[in-house]
Coordinates of all heavy atoms in Angstrom, one line a residue:
F1 N 4.6 -4.6 7.5 CA 4.0 -3.5 6.8 C 3.8 -2.3 7.7 O 4.0 -1.1 7.2 CB 2.6 -3.9 6.3 CG 2.0 -3.0 5.2 CD1 2.3 -3.2 3.9 CD2 1.2 -1.9 5.6 CE1 1.9 -2.3 2.9 CE2 0.7 -1.1 4.6 CZ 1.1 -1.3 3.3
T2 N 3.5 -2.5 9.0 CA 3.5 -1.4 9.9 C 4.8 -0.6 9.9 O 4.8 0.6 9.8 CB 3.2 -1.9 11.3 OG1 1.9 -2.6 11.3 CG2 3.0 -0.7 12.2
I3 N 5.9 -1.3 9.9 CA 7.3 -0.7 9.9 C 7.5 0.0 8.6 O 8.1 1.1 8.6 CB 8.3 -1.8 10.2 CG1 8.3 -2.3 11.6 CG2 9.7 -1.2 9.9 CD1 9.0 -3.6 11.9
E4 N 7.1 -0.6 7.5 CA 7.3 0.1 6.2 C 6.6 1.4 6.2 O 7.1 2.4 5.6 CB 6.8 -0.8 5.1 CG 7.7 -2.0 4.8 CD 7.7 -2.4 3.4 OE1 7.2 -1.7 2.5 OE2 8.3 -3.5 3.1
R5 N 5.4 1.4 6.8 CA 4.6 2.7 6.8 C 5.3 3.7 7.8 O 5.4 4.9 7.4 CB 3.2 2.4 7.1 CG 2.3 3.7 7.3 CD 2.3 4.6 6.1 NE 2.1 6.0 6.5 CZ 2.7 7.0 5.9 NH1 3.5 6.8 4.8 NH2 2.5 8.2 6.3
L6 N 5.5 3.3 9.0 CA 6.1 4.2 10.0 C 7.5 4.7 9.6 O 7.8 5.8 10.0 CB 6.2 3.4 11.3 CG 4.9 3.0 12.0 CD1 5.2 2.2 13.3 CD2 4.1 4.2 12.4
S7 N 8.3 3.9 8.8 CA 9.6 4.5 8.4 C 9.6 5.2 7.1 O 10.6 5.7 6.7 CB 10.5 3.3 8.3 OG 10.1 2.4 7.2
A8 N 8.4 5.3 6.5 CA 8.3 6.0 5.2 C 8.5 7.5 5.4 O 8.1 8.1 6.4 CB 7.0 5.8 4.5
D9 N 9.2 8.2 4.5 CA 9.5 9.6 4.6 C 8.5 10.4 3.7 O 8.8 11.6 3.5 CB 11.0 10.0 4.3 CG 11.4 9.5 2.9 OD1 10.5 8.9 2.2 OD2 12.6 9.6 2.6
T10 N 7.5 9.8 3.2 CA 6.5 10.6 2.4 C 5.1 10.2 3.0 O 4.9 9.1 3.6 CB 6.6 10.1 0.9 OG1 6.2 8.7 0.8 CG2 8.0 10.4 0.4
P11 N 4.1 11.0 2.7 CA 2.7 10.6 3.1 C 2.2 9.4 2.5 O 1.2 8.8 3.0 CB 1.9 11.9 2.7 CG 2.9 12.9 2.5 CD 4.2 12.3 2.0
Y12 N 2.8 9.0 1.3 CA 2.2 7.9 0.6 C 3.0 6.6 0.7 O 2.5 5.5 0.3 CB 2.1 8.2 -0.9 CG 3.3 8.9 -1.5 CD1 4.4 8.1 -1.9 CD2 3.3 10.3 -1.7 CE1 5.5 8.7 -2.5 CE2 4.5 10.8 -2.3 CZ 5.5 10.0 -2.6 OH 6.7 10.7 -3.2
G13 N 4.2 6.6 1.2 CA 5.1 5.4 1.3 C 4.4 4.4 2.2 O 3.7 4.7 3.2
P14 N 4.5 3.0 1.8 CA 5.4 2.5 0.9 C 4.9 2.4 -0.6 O 5.5 1.8 -1.4 CB 5.6 1.0 1.4 CG 4.3 0.7 2.1 CD 3.8 2.0 2.7
L15 N 3.7 3.0 -0.8 CA 3.3 3.1 -2.2 C 4.1 4.2 -3.0 O 4.7 5.0 -2.3 CB 1.8 3.5 -2.3 CG 0.7 2.5 -1.6 CD1 -0.6 3.2 -1.7 CD2 0.8 1.2 -2.2
T16 N 4.1 4.1 -4.3 CA 4.6 5.2 -5.1 C 3.6 6.3 -5.2 O 2.4 6.1 -4.9 CB 5.0 4.7 -6.5 OG1 3.7 4.3 -7.2 CG2 5.9 3.5 -6.5
A17 N 4.0 7.5 -5.5 CA 3.1 8.6 -5.6 C 2.0 8.4 -6.7 O 0.8 8.6 -6.4 CB 3.9 9.9 -6.0
P18 N 2.3 7.8 -7.9 CA 1.2 7.5 -8.8 C 0.2 6.5 -8.2 O -1.0 6.6 -8.4 CB 1.9 7.0 -10.1 CG 3.2 7.6 -10.0 CD 3.6 7.7 -8.5
Q19 N 0.7 5.5 -7.6 CA -0.2 4.5 -7.0 C -1.1 5.1 -5.9 O -2.3 4.9 -5.9 CB 0.6 3.4 -6.3 CG 1.2 2.3 -7.2 CD 2.1 1.3 -6.4 OE1 2.7 1.7 -5.4 NE2 2.1 0.1 -6.9
A20 N -0.5 5.9 -5.1 CA -1.3 6.6 -4.0 C -2.4 7.5 -4.5 O -3.4 7.7 -4.0 CB -0.3 7.3 -3.1
A21 N -2.0 8.1 -5.7 CA -3.0 9.1 -6.2 C -4.2 8.4 -6.9 O -5.3 8.8 -6.8 CB -2.3 10.0 -7.3
R22 N -3.9 7.2 -7.5 CA -5.0 6.5 -8.3 C -5.8 5.6 -7.5 O -6.9 5.2 -7.9 CB -4.4 5.8 -9.5 CG -3.8 6.8 -10.5 CD -3.5 6.0 -11.8 NE -2.4 5.0 -11.7 CZ -1.2 5.3 -12.0 NH1 -0.8 6.4 -12.5 NH2 -0.2 4.3 -11.9
I23 N -5.2 5.1 -6.4 CA -5.9 4.0 -5.6 C -7.2 4.5 -5.0 O -7.3 5.7 -4.6 CB -4.9 3.5 -4.6 CG1 -5.3 2.1 -4.1 CG2 -4.8 4.4 -3.4 CD1 -4.3 1.4 -3.3
R24 N -8.2 3.6 -4.9 CA -9.5 4.0 -4.4 C -10.0 3.2 -3.2 O -10.5 3.6 -2.2 CB -10.6 4.0 -5.4 CG -10.4 5.0 -6.6 CD -11.6 4.9 -7.6 NE -12.9 5.0 -7.0 CZ -13.8 4.0 -6.9 NH1 -13.5 2.8 -7.4 NH2 -14.9 4.2 -6.3
R25 N -9.7 1.8 -3.3 CA -10.1 0.9 -2.3 C -8.9 0.0 -1.9 O -8.2 -0.5 -2.8 CB -11.3 0.1 -2.7 CG -12.5 0.8 -3.1 CD -13.1 1.5 -1.9 NE -14.3 2.3 -2.2 CZ -14.3 3.6 -2.5 NH1 -13.2 4.3 -2.5 NH2 -15.5 4.2 -2.7
V26 N -8.7 -0.1 -0.6 CA -7.6 -1.0 -0.1 C -8.1 -1.9 0.9 O -8.8 -1.6 1.9 CB -6.5 -0.1 0.5 CG1 -5.3 -1.0 1.0 CG2 -6.0 1.0 -0.4
L27 N -7.9 -3.2 0.7 CA -8.4 -4.3 1.6 C -7.1 -4.9 2.3 O -6.2 -5.4 1.7 CB -9.2 -5.3 0.9 CG -9.6 -6.6 1.7 CD1 -10.5 -6.2 2.8 CD2 -10.2 -7.6 0.8
F28 N -7.2 -4.9 3.7 CA -6.2 -5.7 4.5 C -7.0 -6.8 5.2 O -7.8 -6.6 5.9 CB -5.5 -4.8 5.5 CG -4.8 -3.6 5.0 CD1 -5.4 -2.4 4.9 CD2 -3.5 -3.8 4.5 CE1 -4.6 -1.3 4.4 CE2 -2.8 -2.7 4.1 CZ -3.3 -1.5 4.0
L29 N -6.6 -8.1 4.8 CA -7.2 -9.2 5.5 C -6.2 -9.9 6.4 O -5.1 -10.4 5.9 CB -7.7 -10.2 4.4 CG -9.1 -10.0 3.9 CD1 -9.5 -11.1 2.9 CD2 -10.2 -9.9 5.0
V30 N -6.5 -10.0 7.6 CA -5.6 -10.6 8.6 C -6.2 -12.0 8.9 O -7.3 -12.1 9.4 CB -5.5 -9.8 9.9 CG1 -4.6 -10.5 10.9 CG2 -5.0 -8.4 9.5
V31 N -5.4 -13.0 8.6 CA -5.9 -14.4 8.9 C -5.3 -14.9 10.1 O -4.1 -15.1 10.3 CB -5.5 -15.3 7.7 CG1 -6.0 -16.8 7.9 CG2 -6.0 -14.8 6.4
D32 N -6.2 -15.2 11.1 CA -5.8 -15.7 12.4 C -6.0 -17.2 12.4 O -7.1 -17.7 12.6 CB -6.7 -15.0 13.5 CG -6.3 -15.5 14.9 OD1 -5.4 -16.4 15.0 OD2 -6.9 -15.0 15.9
A33 N -4.9 -17.9 12.1 CA -5.0 -19.4 12.1 C -4.7 -20.1 13.5 O -4.4 -21.2 13.5 CB -4.1 -19.9 11.0
G34 N -4.6 -19.2 14.5 CA -4.2 -19.8 15.8 C -5.4 -20.6 16.4 O -6.6 -20.5 16.0
R35 N -5.0 -21.4 17.4 CA -6.0 -22.2 18.0 C -6.5 -21.5 19.3 O -5.7 -20.9 20.0 CB -5.5 -23.6 18.3 CG -5.2 -24.4 17.1 CD -4.9 -25.9 17.4 NE -3.9 -26.0 18.4 CZ -3.7 -27.1 19.2 NH1 -4.6 -28.1 19.1 NH2 -2.7 -27.2 20.1
G36 N -7.7 -21.8 19.7 CA -8.2 -21.3 21.0 C -7.7 -22.0 22.2 O -7.0 -23.0 22.0
P37 N -8.2 -21.7 23.4 CA -7.7 -22.4 24.6 C -8.1 -23.8 24.6 O -9.2 -24.2 24.0 CB -8.5 -21.6 25.7 CG -8.8 -20.3 25.1 CD -9.0 -20.5 23.7
S38 N -7.3 -24.7 25.1 CA -7.6 -26.1 25.1 C -7.2 -26.7 26.5 O -6.4 -26.1 27.3 CB -6.9 -26.8 24.0 OG -5.5 -26.7 24.1
G39 N -7.6 -28.0 26.7 CA -7.2 -28.6 28.0 C -8.4 -28.5 29.0 O -9.2 -27.6 28.9
D40 N -8.4 -29.5 29.9 CA -9.5 -29.5 30.9 C -9.0 -29.2 32.3 O -9.7 -29.4 33.3 CB -10.1 -30.9 30.9 CG -9.2 -32.0 31.2 OD1 -8.0 -31.8 31.5 OD2 -9.6 -33.2 31.2
W41 N -7.8 -28.7 32.4 CA -7.2 -28.4 33.8 C -7.9 -27.2 34.5 O -7.6 -27.1 35.7 CB -5.7 -28.2 33.7 CG -5.2 -27.4 32.6 CD1 -4.8 -27.8 31.4 CD2 -4.9 -26.0 32.6 NE1 -4.4 -26.8 30.5 CE2 -4.4 -25.6 31.3 CE3 -5.1 -25.0 33.5 CZ2 -4.1 -24.3 30.9 CZ3 -4.8 -23.6 33.2 CH2 -4.3 -23.3 31.9
V42 N -8.7 -26.5 33.8 CA -9.4 -25.4 34.5 C -10.7 -26.0 35.2 O -11.4 -25.2 35.9 CB -9.8 -24.3 33.6 CG1 -8.6 -23.6 33.0 CG2 -10.7 -24.8 32.4
Q43 N -11.0 -27.2 35.0 CA -12.2 -27.8 35.6 C -12.0 -28.3 37.0 O -12.9 -28.8 37.6 CB -12.7 -29.0 34.7 CG -12.9 -28.6 33.3 CD -14.0 -27.4 33.2 OE1 -15.0 -27.4 33.9 NE2 -13.7 -26.5 32.2
S44 N -10.7 -28.3 37.5 CA -10.4 -28.7 38.8 C -9.3 -27.9 39.5 O -8.6 -27.2 38.7 CB -10.0 -30.2 38.8 OG -8.7 -30.3 38.2
P45 N -9.2 -27.9 40.8 CA -8.2 -27.1 41.4 C -6.7 -27.7 41.2 O -5.8 -26.9 41.3 CB -8.5 -27.2 42.9 CG -9.4 -28.4 43.1 CD -10.1 -28.6 41.8
Q46 N -6.7 -28.9 40.7 CA -5.3 -29.5 40.4 C -4.9 -29.1 39.0 O -5.7 -28.7 38.2 CB -5.4 -31.0 40.5 CG -5.5 -31.6 41.9 CD -7.0 -31.4 42.4 OE1 -7.9 -31.6 41.6 NE2 -7.1 -31.3 43.7

């Protein structure tokens, strides 16, 4: 989506002009399903 916006040649792309004129609220939800750090090897010098 970042590329679609950066490559757009209009102020409203990738939306159409009517969409951009009528829209009021936009929600972007980014879901981070990655796992945090794991393992016990930081508990010793080995």
Side-chain angles (χ1 to χ4, degrees):
F1 196 87
T2 303
I3 290 165
E4 290 212 6
R5 174 57 207 146
L6 292 175
S7 63
D9 57 2
T10 65
Y12 47 80
L15 298 178
T16 65
Q19 283 178 324
R22 291 194 294 262
I23 202 166
R24 294 179 56 246
R25 300 292 181 265
V26 183
L27 172 67
F28 299 96
L29 273 182
V30 180
V31 180
D32 181 358
R35 297 193 302 158
S38 61
D40 59 2
W41 42 269
V42 295
Q43 304 301 321
S44 69
Q46 291 77 32

